[in-house]
Amino acid sequence: MHPVVKPALRRGWRDLNTVQFGMTPAHALTLGPMDTATGSFLELLNGTRGLPLLREEGRRMDLPEGHVDQLVEGLARSGLLDDARGGGPGAAALRDRKEVLDRLRPDLASLSVVTSEPGDAMRLLAARRTLRVQVRGAGRVGAVLAALLSGAGVGEVDVCDGGQVEPWDLAPGGLPADTVGERRAEAARRVVRRAAPDRPPRRTPGGAGGEGEPGWSLVVLAPRDDVAVHAPAPATAEPFLSSGTPHLYAGVVEATGMVGPLVLPGETGCAGCLDRTRADRDPTWPRMVAQWRSGRQRQVRPCDLALATTVAGLAAAHALAFLDGRLPSSAGARWECSLPGLQWHARPVWPHPECSCGAAEKGSGEQASEDGASHETMAEQRSSTEVRRRAHAARPAGTWRAHV
């Protein structure tokens, strides 16, 4: 191990004996009391020395025997320590690609802030390169979202859409002006390739899920059709539910941005659950949806540039959180933001008992199990669930399945 105090967190002394790491309340941490010699020793934790050399430096500074190991262990437990050579073989391979790593250093620094174990940030960044994501929709939201995922280090990002690029599809960071008239999917894939830090790994021919090729780690549905954003058709997601493929919805409808739900098949509410719940609350819902879908489609939809870019960025952040093994707040919920107020709020998407996705049945089973469990057992169950979710990022793409 080559310890390094996380450089992403700014350091400042609150007084002569207390040091604060980080500025923001979400991630700041104070440590103390800390003597002057130990404070000076922190400067040596910069990733250039292993523990044996650090112990020698500690003796030269007259630090007590074992003090260096205690300090390193304490910083590691606090989540303030990284390992300059940690992260496993994938991380080592990424370090050898300096030009690629330089593009991703801001993403690596961000990961170091939100991870706790030394080497985790580099491990997760390297794991992204093995993942495959498909974005369905190449409008103002979908194309930008796909480019963001590619630029953040996701190994393969595919884009699916039909038709030709129209002037109102263009967006900074998405489809450029010189693509008007080209096939949408091809133009968006070219944008994705340009955003990538390096070329994606070569895959065995045969298409997603074909022989020799893994399935999608995540599918993002970002339709240009505003009706499909507001009322996603359950049939569209049936292949993902049957294959156990996680999928996330995102888009803009009538100056309202929507991100979510993130659907974990068999665990969280899906588009079918959303549709049935709406019908329960409003008997006219099916009639209204039928009219919206069958009515004359507007050529240009109300999807202003700033809101579309905001939705793409938030959806990409939720997608990356999931791909890195965490459970974002869009799992089982839909985040909405409307102009001109721009206040985000979440609407839960509850599993519906009549939906064939099975999430409601699983939820009721877990509830019955927890009703008879001790607090300790419940905590262990939640901890085990979180460990399995965190392990997702290290698995080959397409191996995620709802656990039982």
Side-chain angles (χ1 to χ4, degrees), residues 32 53 89 104 107-108 112 147 158 161 183 244 251 264 282 292 300-301 317 341 380 396 401:
L53 184 54
L104 295 170
D107 303 87
L108 177 62
S112 75
D158 183 48
D161 205 342
R183 296 175 61 184
L264 308 181
D282 180 4
W292 294 333
V300 179
R301 298 167 178 85
E380 290 174 0
R401 292 292 185 273

Side-chain angles (χ1 to χ4, degrees), residues 145 148 248 258-259 309-319 335-336 344:
L145 196 160
L148 289 172
L248 172 69
M258 297 185 177
V259 176
T309 305
T310 300
V311 169
L314 184 62
H318 280 246
W335 285 93
E336 299 181 4
W344 286 98

Side-chain angles (χ1 to χ4, degrees), residues 116-183:
S116 57
E117 293 296 323
D120 262 3
M122 196 65 175
R123 177 183 62 80
L124 291 175
L125 190 64
R128 287 182 183 180
R129 292 160 57 84
T130 68
L131 303 178
R132 306 178 70 236
V133 176
Q134 184 180 68
V135 178
R136 298 201 169 193
R140 281 188 158 187
V141 173
V144 174
L145 196 160
L148 289 172
L149 295 177
S150 179
V154 176
E156 183 178 350
V157 180
D158 183 48
V159 187
C160 293
D161 205 342
Q164 296 179 334
V165 177
E166 301 289 352
W168 43 86
D169 294 325
L170 309 183
L175 297 171
D178 60 4
T179 60
V180 173
E182 297 183 14
R183 296 175 61 184

Side-chain angles (χ1 to χ4, degrees), residues 143-234:
V144 174
L145 196 160
L148 289 172
L149 295 177
S150 179
V154 176
E156 183 178 350
V157 180
D158 183 48
V159 187
C160 293
D161 205 342
Q164 296 179 334
V165 177
E166 301 289 352
W168 43 86
D169 294 325
L170 309 183
L175 297 171
D178 60 4
T179 60
V180 173
E182 297 183 14
R183 296 175 61 184
R184 271 199 191 90
E186 291 302 321
R189 288 168 187 161
R190 193 160 60 249
V191 169
V192 166
R193 289 194 295 270
R194 290 173 180 170
D198 61 344
R199 292 185 178 182
R202 300 185 68 178
R203 299 290 184 182
T204 303
E211 184 178 355
E213 185 170 6
W216 303 112
S217 308
L218 176 69
V219 173
V220 182
L221 296 102
R224 291 175 290 107
D225 178 14
D226 51 2
V227 177
V229 173
H230 185 58

